[in-house]
Amino acid sequence: MLHLRLITPANRTDDVVRLIEKTVGTTHLVVMPGAARNPAGDVVMCDVAREAADELIGALRALDIDKTGSIAVENIDLSISKRAEKAEEEAPGEAADAVLWEHLADATHEESTLSFTYVAFITLATMIAACGVVLDNAILIVGAMAVGPEFGPLAGFSTAIVQRHPRLALRSMIALLAGFAVAMVVTVGFSYFMDAVGLFTQEQLDADRPNTGFVWAPDWFSFVVAVLAGTAGTLSLTSSKSGALVGVAISVTTVPAAANAAVALSYGDSKQTWGSTEQLLLNLLGIILAGTLTLLAQKWLWARQRDRQAREGARAGGN
C-alpha cells in the first residue's frame, strides 16, 4: 500500500474526493478543510493499493493538483487493516507488477544528474578497479563495481526513451558520458602516480591475469550478461526491490573496463585500451537495450491487464 497526502485548493477538494472514492483500490480517506497553510488549502489523505496508484496520480495531475497544491507519496511498511486488505484485493493486477511511472521518472531524474557526488563515486570506483586490474584482484573488481553509480543514468535514459522525455534522456546521457570521461582521465593520472612510486608496472598489466583479463576481451557473453543484468536492474527499480541492484552492479564490467582502458592508455597499450573500450560500450549498449525493452514490455502488459479488468468489470455491471 501507498499513502497519499494531498494539498488541494478549496474549490478542487470535492473533485479530488470524488476521484479518490471512485478509484478502485483506495481506502482510509481523510479530509481536513483549511489545514494547509503553504500553499493554502485543504489536506486530503488516503491509502491506495500500488496497482491503482499510477492511474490515480495521473488523474490528480490532470486536475492540476501538482501545480495548484501538492502530491506526496509514501510507502506504507505495515498496514493492519481489513479495509486495506480489501482495497488491495479489489485493485487490478499484482502490486509487484505495477509500475509507478511518476516515481520512476523522479528517481531516475535524481540518479541521472551530473553532480559532484556522482562524479566522485564513479571516479573512486574506477580508481579502485584500476588497482584491481593491475593486481589481478577479483575482490577489488567486485568492490569497484558495487561502488559505481552508473546504473542510475542508464536507467534514466531507458525511462526517458519509453516515456518520451528528451530532457531526461539528454541529462542521463551527459551524466553517463561525462562521468566516465572524468573518471578515466583522473585514473590515467592516478596510474602515472602509482607507476612513479613503484606500485604499478607495465609488466603487471601485460602479465596473464586469470581473474581480470576478461575486462579487455569482450565477447558475446559480455553482451548477454549485460542484457540480463539490465533486465534485472530495471525490474528491481520498478518493483521497489532495490536490494537486487547490488547484484546487478557486480554483474557487469562497465567500471572495470573503463579502469583497464585508462591504465592501458597510460602505458600506451593500444590493444588493451581498445579492447576495454569495446567492453565498456558493449555493456552500456546491452543495459540500455534491456532496460528499454523491459519497460516497454511492462507498460504493454500492464495496459493489457487493465483493459481486461475493465472489460470484466463492464460485463459484471451489465449483469
Side-chain angles (χ1 to χ4, degrees):
M1 294 290 288
L2 300 174
H3 179 69
L4 266 64
R5 186 184 72 251
L6 314 172
I7 296 179
T8 68
N11 62 345
R12 283 290 192 178
T13 301
D14 290 342
D15 295 333
V16 169
V17 170
R18 279 194 295 270
L19 174 63
I20 293 172
E21 289 177 335
K22 74 176 185 180
T23 300
V24 177
T26 60
T27 187
H28 303 155
L29 176 61
V30 177
V31 180
M32 295 185 289
R37 293 292 181 268
N38 185 21
D42 303 332
V43 175
V44 180
M45 296 183 289
C46 71
D47 295 341
V48 58
R50 183 181 175 86
E51 307 93 290
D54 191 64
E55 181 183 8
L56 178 57
I57 293 172
L60 289 168
R61 295 196 66 180
L63 292 174
D64 291 333
I65 301 304
D66 56 321
K67 298 175 182 177
T68 58
S70 76
I71 304 172
V73 184
E74 299 173 305
N75 280 308
I76 299 177
D77 294 327
L78 176 64
S79 179
I80 304 175
S81 167
K82 290 294 183 181
R83 289 182 177 273
E85 293 177 5
K86 183 180 179 182
E88 289 186 314
E89 291 173 359
E90 293 176 345
E94 296 294 331
D97 296 334
V99 180
L100 297 180
W101 292 102
E102 294 293 338
H103 177 267
L104 182 62
D106 184 69
T108 53
H109 176 277
E110 182 179 350
E111 295 294 328
S112 302
T113 302
L114 186 63
S115 62
F116 173 80
T117 301
Y118 170 79
V119 174
F121 268 115
I122 198 168
T123 301
L124 291 169
T126 307
M127 293 166 69
I128 293 171
C131 297
V133 297
V134 172
L135 298 175
D136 194 34
N137 188 315
I139 295 176
L140 290 177
I141 293 296
V142 172
M145 289 191 287
V147 171
E150 72 279 7
F151 190 79
L154 288 168
F157 189 76
S158 295
T159 302
I161 292 175
V162 175
Q163 292 295 89
R164 299 179 183 178
H165 288 166
R167 293 182 63 184
L168 176 58
L170 179 61
R171 181 184 295 109
S172 301
M173 191 53 62
I174 290 174
L176 187 67
L177 297 180
F180 270 115
V182 172
M184 293 174 72
V185 168
V186 173
T187 302
V188 169
F190 175 69
S191 180
Y192 281 133
F193 170 77
M194 295 294 278
D195 180 79
V197 298
L199 295 177
F200 281 7
T201 64
Q202 187 166 1
E203 288 73 19
Q204 289 175 300
L205 184 69
D206 294 336
D208 290 334
R209 290 183 283 143
N211 293 320
T212 60
F214 67 92
V215 299
W216 63 275
D219 54 24
W220 278 107
F221 278 106
S222 301
F223 184 73
V224 170
V225 171
V227 168
L228 295 175
T231 302
T234 303
L235 288 173
S236 72
L237 283 178
T238 57
S239 62
S240 297
K241 297 185 183 298
S242 58
L245 282 176
V246 177
V248 172
I250 61 177
S251 298
V252 291
T253 55
T254 49
V255 167
N260 200 87
V263 175
L265 183 63
S266 71
Y267 284 114
D269 188 334
S270 59
K271 183 178 180 180
Q272 286 203 40
T273 300
W274 285 114
S276 301
T277 303
E278 289 176 7
Q279 178 78 277
L280 173 61
L281 295 176
L282 196 62
N283 276 268
L284 295 178
L285 175 62
I287 294 172
I288 289 174
L289 180 62
T292 302
L293 292 177
T294 300
L295 289 174
L296 285 172
Q298 288 182 289
K299 192 173 186 178
W300 179 74
L301 289 171
W302 189 253
R304 283 197 62 187
Q305 187 167 317
R306 294 194 66 85
D307 289 343
R308 185 172 62 251
Q309 186 79 13
R311 288 194 298 269
E312 292 175 355
R315 283 198 298 267
N319 295 332

mmCIF file of all heavy atoms in Angstrom, residues 50-81:
data_model
loop_
_atom_site.group_PDB
_atom_site.id
_atom_site.type_symbol
_atom_site.label_atom_id
_atom_site.label_comp_id
_atom_site.label_asym_id
_atom_site.label_seq_id
_atom_site.Cartn_x
_atom_site.Cartn_y
_atom_site.Cartn_z
ATOM 1 N N ARG A 50 -0.840 -0.245 -4.541
ATOM 2 C CA ARG A 50 0.199 0.117 -5.508
ATOM 3 C C ARG A 50 -0.287 -0.047 -6.945
ATOM 4 O O ARG A 50 0.043 0.746 -7.820
ATOM 5 C CB ARG A 50 1.435 -0.743 -5.266
ATOM 6 C CG ARG A 50 2.617 -0.417 -6.166
ATOM 7 C CD ARG A 50 3.793 -1.345 -5.874
ATOM 8 N NE ARG A 50 4.860 -1.100 -6.822
ATOM 9 C CZ ARG A 50 5.803 -0.173 -6.684
ATOM 10 N NH1 ARG A 50 5.794 0.594 -5.608
ATOM 11 N NH2 ARG A 50 6.736 -0.005 -7.595
ATOM 12 N N GLU A 51 -1.124 -1.064 -7.175
ATOM 13 C CA GLU A 51 -1.612 -1.345 -8.520
ATOM 14 C C GLU A 51 -2.476 -0.217 -9.067
ATOM 15 O O GLU A 51 -2.592 -0.047 -10.281
ATOM 16 C CB GLU A 51 -2.446 -2.632 -8.541
ATOM 17 C CG GLU A 51 -1.751 -3.838 -7.937
ATOM 18 C CD GLU A 51 -2.083 -3.996 -6.466
ATOM 19 O OE1 GLU A 51 -1.613 -3.143 -5.680
ATOM 20 O OE2 GLU A 51 -2.795 -4.965 -6.108
ATOM 21 N N ALA A 52 -3.130 0.540 -8.172
ATOM 22 C CA ALA A 52 -4.035 1.607 -8.602
ATOM 23 C C ALA A 52 -3.403 2.993 -8.504
ATOM 24 O O ALA A 52 -4.010 3.981 -8.927
ATOM 25 C CB ALA A 52 -5.307 1.571 -7.748
ATOM 26 N N ALA A 53 -2.198 3.068 -7.981
ATOM 27 C CA ALA A 53 -1.605 4.368 -7.672
ATOM 28 C C ALA A 53 -1.256 5.172 -8.916
ATOM 29 O O ALA A 53 -1.479 6.387 -8.957
ATOM 30 C CB ALA A 53 -0.359 4.178 -6.810
ATOM 31 N N ASP A 54 -0.720 4.520 -9.940
ATOM 32 C CA ASP A 54 -0.282 5.271 -11.112
ATOM 33 C C ASP A 54 -1.462 5.956 -11.799
ATOM 34 O O ASP A 54 -1.375 7.121 -12.194
ATOM 35 C CB ASP A 54 0.424 4.326 -12.096
ATOM 36 C CG ASP A 54 1.128 5.093 -13.209
ATOM 37 O OD1 ASP A 54 2.060 5.849 -12.901
ATOM 38 O OD2 ASP A 54 0.732 4.932 -14.373
ATOM 39 N N GLU A 55 -2.575 5.243 -11.918
ATOM 40 C CA GLU A 55 -3.772 5.823 -12.532
ATOM 41 C C GLU A 55 -4.296 6.981 -11.697
ATOM 42 O O GLU A 55 -4.673 8.033 -12.241
ATOM 43 C CB GLU A 55 -4.851 4.761 -12.681
ATOM 44 C CG GLU A 55 -6.130 5.275 -13.329
ATOM 45 C CD GLU A 55 -7.217 4.214 -13.409
ATOM 46 O OE1 GLU A 55 -7.034 3.127 -12.833
ATOM 47 O OE2 GLU A 55 -8.255 4.494 -14.039
ATOM 48 N N LEU A 56 -4.313 6.821 -10.379
ATOM 49 C CA LEU A 56 -4.816 7.878 -9.505
ATOM 50 C C LEU A 56 -3.929 9.115 -9.565
ATOM 51 O O LEU A 56 -4.423 10.245 -9.662
ATOM 52 C CB LEU A 56 -4.909 7.365 -8.069
ATOM 53 C CG LEU A 56 -5.370 8.380 -7.011
ATOM 54 C CD1 LEU A 56 -6.733 8.963 -7.370
ATOM 55 C CD2 LEU A 56 -5.406 7.726 -5.631
ATOM 56 N N ILE A 57 -2.628 8.911 -9.523
ATOM 57 C CA ILE A 57 -1.709 10.055 -9.582
ATOM 58 C C ILE A 57 -1.849 10.783 -10.912
ATOM 59 O O ILE A 57 -1.844 12.019 -10.971
ATOM 60 C CB ILE A 57 -0.261 9.585 -9.354
ATOM 61 C CG1 ILE A 57 -0.094 9.078 -7.918
ATOM 62 C CG2 ILE A 57 0.722 10.720 -9.627
ATOM 63 C CD1 ILE A 57 1.238 8.410 -7.654
ATOM 64 N N GLY A 58 -1.993 10.022 -11.995
ATOM 65 C CA GLY A 58 -2.195 10.651 -13.300
ATOM 66 C C GLY A 58 -3.461 11.478 -13.346
ATOM 67 O O GLY A 58 -3.479 12.591 -13.907
ATOM 68 N N ALA A 59 -4.543 10.964 -12.741
ATOM 69 C CA ALA A 59 -5.807 11.706 -12.715
ATOM 70 C C ALA A 59 -5.686 12.963 -11.850
ATOM 71 O O ALA A 59 -6.264 14.007 -12.177
ATOM 72 C CB ALA A 59 -6.925 10.808 -12.193
ATOM 73 N N LEU A 60 -4.949 12.876 -10.750
ATOM 74 C CA LEU A 60 -4.736 14.047 -9.897
ATOM 75 C C LEU A 60 -3.937 15.124 -10.640
ATOM 76 O O LEU A 60 -4.222 16.321 -10.507
ATOM 77 C CB LEU A 60 -4.009 13.636 -8.614
ATOM 78 C CG LEU A 60 -4.828 12.811 -7.618
ATOM 79 C CD1 LEU A 60 -3.928 12.229 -6.535
ATOM 80 C CD2 LEU A 60 -5.929 13.663 -6.993
ATOM 81 N N ARG A 61 -2.971 14.701 -11.415
ATOM 82 C CA ARG A 61 -2.203 15.668 -12.199
ATOM 83 C C ARG A 61 -3.074 16.297 -13.288
ATOM 84 O O ARG A 61 -2.884 17.466 -13.636
ATOM 85 C CB ARG A 61 -0.986 15.003 -12.813
ATOM 86 C CG ARG A 61 0.033 14.516 -11.788
ATOM 87 C CD ARG A 61 1.367 14.215 -12.421
ATOM 88 N NE ARG A 61 1.980 15.433 -12.931
ATOM 89 C CZ ARG A 61 3.172 15.462 -13.535
ATOM 90 N NH1 ARG A 61 3.849 14.341 -13.706
ATOM 91 N NH2 ARG A 61 3.669 16.586 -13.983
ATOM 92 N N ALA A 62 -4.018 15.517 -13.809
ATOM 93 C CA ALA A 62 -4.936 16.071 -14.808
ATOM 94 C C ALA A 62 -5.804 17.172 -14.203
ATOM 95 O O ALA A 62 -6.258 18.083 -14.906
ATOM 96 C CB ALA A 62 -5.814 14.966 -15.385
ATOM 97 N N LEU A 63 -6.024 17.101 -12.876
ATOM 98 C CA LEU A 63 -6.754 18.157 -12.170
ATOM 99 C C LEU A 63 -5.842 19.311 -11.757
ATOM 100 O O LEU A 63 -6.277 20.234 -11.050
ATOM 101 C CB LEU A 63 -7.435 17.575 -10.921
ATOM 102 C CG LEU A 63 -8.584 16.599 -11.155
ATOM 103 C CD1 LEU A 63 -9.052 16.005 -9.822
ATOM 104 C CD2 LEU A 63 -9.751 17.276 -11.871
ATOM 105 N N ASP A 64 -4.567 19.231 -12.149
ATOM 106 C CA ASP A 64 -3.563 20.269 -11.847
ATOM 107 C C ASP A 64 -3.255 20.388 -10.359
ATOM 108 O O ASP A 64 -2.821 21.457 -9.895
ATOM 109 C CB ASP A 64 -4.005 21.640 -12.388
ATOM 110 C CG ASP A 64 -3.986 21.701 -13.900
ATOM 111 O OD1 ASP A 64 -3.197 20.956 -14.509
ATOM 112 O OD2 ASP A 64 -4.768 22.474 -14.473
ATOM 113 N N ILE A 65 -3.453 19.293 -9.616
ATOM 114 C CA ILE A 65 -3.145 19.348 -8.179
ATOM 115 C C ILE A 65 -1.648 19.529 -7.949
ATOM 116 O O ILE A 65 -1.227 20.147 -6.970
ATOM 117 C CB ILE A 65 -3.655 18.069 -7.474
ATOM 118 C CG1 ILE A 65 -5.167 17.919 -7.669
ATOM 119 C CG2 ILE A 65 -3.329 18.096 -5.987
ATOM 120 C CD1 ILE A 65 -5.974 19.112 -7.203
ATOM 121 N N ASP A 66 -0.826 18.994 -8.860
ATOM 122 C CA ASP A 66 0.619 19.160 -8.724
ATOM 123 C C ASP A 66 1.048 20.611 -8.934
ATOM 124 O O ASP A 66 2.121 21.012 -8.462
ATOM 125 C CB ASP A 66 1.353 18.250 -9.709
ATOM 126 C CG ASP A 66 0.922 18.492 -11.148
ATOM 127 O OD1 ASP A 66 -0.279 18.722 -11.370
ATOM 128 O OD2 ASP A 66 1.788 18.451 -12.040
ATOM 129 N N LYS A 67 0.219 21.414 -9.620
ATOM 130 C CA LYS A 67 0.549 22.813 -9.883
ATOM 131 C C LYS A 67 -0.087 23.757 -8.863
ATOM 132 O O LYS A 67 0.525 24.739 -8.450
ATOM 133 C CB LYS A 67 0.091 23.202 -11.288
ATOM 134 C CG LYS A 67 0.772 22.401 -12.396
ATOM 135 C CD LYS A 67 0.193 22.735 -13.753
ATOM 136 C CE LYS A 67 0.837 21.900 -14.852
ATOM 137 N NZ LYS A 67 0.247 22.157 -16.183
ATOM 138 N N THR A 68 -1.323 23.460 -8.466
ATOM 139 C CA THR A 68 -2.032 24.349 -7.547
ATOM 140 C C THR A 68 -1.891 23.929 -6.092
ATOM 141 O O THR A 68 -2.221 24.699 -5.184
ATOM 142 C CB THR A 68 -3.533 24.392 -7.899
ATOM 143 O OG1 THR A 68 -4.083 23.060 -7.839
ATOM 144 C CG2 THR A 68 -3.733 24.941 -9.302
ATOM 145 N N GLY A 69 -1.412 22.718 -5.857
ATOM 146 C CA GLY A 69 -1.238 22.221 -4.490
ATOM 147 C C GLY A 69 -0.003 21.337 -4.429
ATOM 148 O O GLY A 69 1.077 21.749 -4.851
ATOM 149 N N SER A 70 -0.170 20.116 -3.941
ATOM 150 C CA SER A 70 0.961 19.181 -3.905
ATOM 151 C C SER A 70 0.453 17.754 -3.826
ATOM 152 O O SER A 70 -0.662 17.494 -3.364
ATOM 153 C CB SER A 70 1.876 19.475 -2.711
ATOM 154 O OG SER A 70 1.284 19.011 -1.510
ATOM 155 N N ILE A 71 1.314 16.830 -4.291
ATOM 156 C CA ILE A 71 1.033 15.401 -4.223
ATOM 157 C C ILE A 71 2.260 14.726 -3.621
ATOM 158 O O ILE A 71 3.347 14.783 -4.205
ATOM 159 C CB ILE A 71 0.749 14.801 -5.618
ATOM 160 C CG1 ILE A 71 -0.406 15.535 -6.309
ATOM 161 C CG2 ILE A 71 0.450 13.313 -5.510
ATOM 162 C CD1 ILE A 71 -0.607 15.117 -7.755
ATOM 163 N N ALA A 72 2.093 14.137 -2.456
ATOM 164 C CA ALA A 72 3.190 13.425 -1.802
ATOM 165 C C ALA A 72 2.811 11.954 -1.661
ATOM 166 O O ALA A 72 1.674 11.633 -1.304
ATOM 167 C CB ALA A 72 3.485 14.028 -0.424
ATOM 168 N N VAL A 73 3.770 11.071 -1.960
ATOM 169 C CA VAL A 73 3.517 9.629 -1.925
ATOM 170 C C VAL A 73 4.554 8.965 -1.032
ATOM 171 O O VAL A 73 5.749 9.227 -1.157
ATOM 172 C CB VAL A 73 3.583 9.017 -3.339
ATOM 173 C CG1 VAL A 73 3.222 7.538 -3.301
ATOM 174 C CG2 VAL A 73 2.667 9.767 -4.296
ATOM 175 N N GLU A 74 4.076 8.110 -0.135
ATOM 176 C CA GLU A 74 4.968 7.388 0.770
ATOM 177 C C GLU A 74 4.612 5.903 0.767
ATOM 178 O O GLU A 74 3.448 5.533 0.611
ATOM 179 C CB GLU A 74 4.831 7.910 2.207
ATOM 180 C CG GLU A 74 5.180 9.370 2.391
ATOM 181 C CD GLU A 74 4.866 9.846 3.801
ATOM 182 O OE1 GLU A 74 3.711 9.686 4.223
ATOM 183 O OE2 GLU A 74 5.777 10.367 4.459
ATOM 184 N N ASN A 75 5.623 5.061 0.936
ATOM 185 C CA ASN A 75 5.382 3.632 1.097
ATOM 186 C C ASN A 75 4.896 3.343 2.516
ATOM 187 O O ASN A 75 5.398 3.936 3.474
ATOM 188 C CB ASN A 75 6.664 2.837 0.843
ATOM 189 C CG ASN A 75 6.936 2.642 -0.629
ATOM 190 O OD1 ASN A 75 6.090 2.177 -1.382
ATOM 191 N ND2 ASN A 75 8.127 3.006 -1.060
ATOM 192 N N ILE A 76 3.953 2.463 2.630
ATOM 193 C CA ILE A 76 3.482 2.030 3.946
ATOM 194 C C ILE A 76 4.138 0.698 4.259
ATOM 195 O O ILE A 76 3.892 -0.307 3.587
ATOM 196 C CB ILE A 76 1.945 1.879 3.962
ATOM 197 C CG1 ILE A 76 1.280 3.219 3.648
ATOM 198 C CG2 ILE A 76 1.474 1.351 5.317
ATOM 199 C CD1 ILE A 76 -0.231 3.141 3.568
ATOM 200 N N ASP A 77 4.990 0.671 5.261
ATOM 201 C CA ASP A 77 5.697 -0.559 5.606
ATOM 202 C C ASP A 77 4.768 -1.586 6.258
ATOM 203 O O ASP A 77 4.931 -2.788 6.066
ATOM 204 C CB ASP A 77 6.875 -0.256 6.541
ATOM 205 C CG ASP A 77 7.944 0.581 5.860
ATOM 206 O OD1 ASP A 77 8.118 0.412 4.632
ATOM 207 O OD2 ASP A 77 8.571 1.405 6.533
ATOM 208 N N LEU A 78 3.823 -1.108 7.045
ATOM 209 C CA LEU A 78 2.898 -2.014 7.716
ATOM 210 C C LEU A 78 1.537 -1.344 7.819
ATOM 211 O O LEU A 78 1.423 -0.212 8.273
ATOM 212 C CB LEU A 78 3.409 -2.369 9.125
ATOM 213 C CG LEU A 78 2.481 -3.256 9.977
ATOM 214 C CD1 LEU A 78 2.303 -4.625 9.332
ATOM 215 C CD2 LEU A 78 3.026 -3.388 11.404
ATOM 216 N N SER A 79 0.491 -2.056 7.380
ATOM 217 C CA SER A 79 -0.871 -1.553 7.487
ATOM 218 C C SER A 79 -1.748 -2.686 8.006
ATOM 219 O O SER A 79 -1.987 -3.670 7.303
ATOM 220 C CB SER A 79 -1.378 -1.066 6.130
ATOM 221 O OG SER A 79 -2.704 -0.590 6.230
ATOM 222 N N ILE A 80 -2.205 -2.548 9.248
ATOM 223 C CA ILE A 80 -3.062 -3.576 9.864
ATOM 224 C C ILE A 80 -4.498 -3.096 9.743
ATOM 225 O O ILE A 80 -4.993 -2.331 10.575
ATOM 226 C CB ILE A 80 -2.663 -3.814 11.333
ATOM 227 C CG1 ILE A 80 -1.174 -4.177 11.418
ATOM 228 C CG2 ILE A 80 -3.516 -4.916 11.949
ATOM 229 C CD1 ILE A 80 -0.651 -4.305 12.828
ATOM 230 N N SER A 81 -5.149 -3.511 8.684
ATOM 231 C CA SER A 81 -6.480 -3.006 8.395
ATOM 232 C C SER A 81 -7.189 -3.943 7.427
ATOM 233 O O SER A 81 -6.639 -4.286 6.372
ATOM 234 C CB SER A 81 -6.391 -1.596 7.780
ATOM 235 O OG SER A 81 -7.623 -1.201 7.224
#
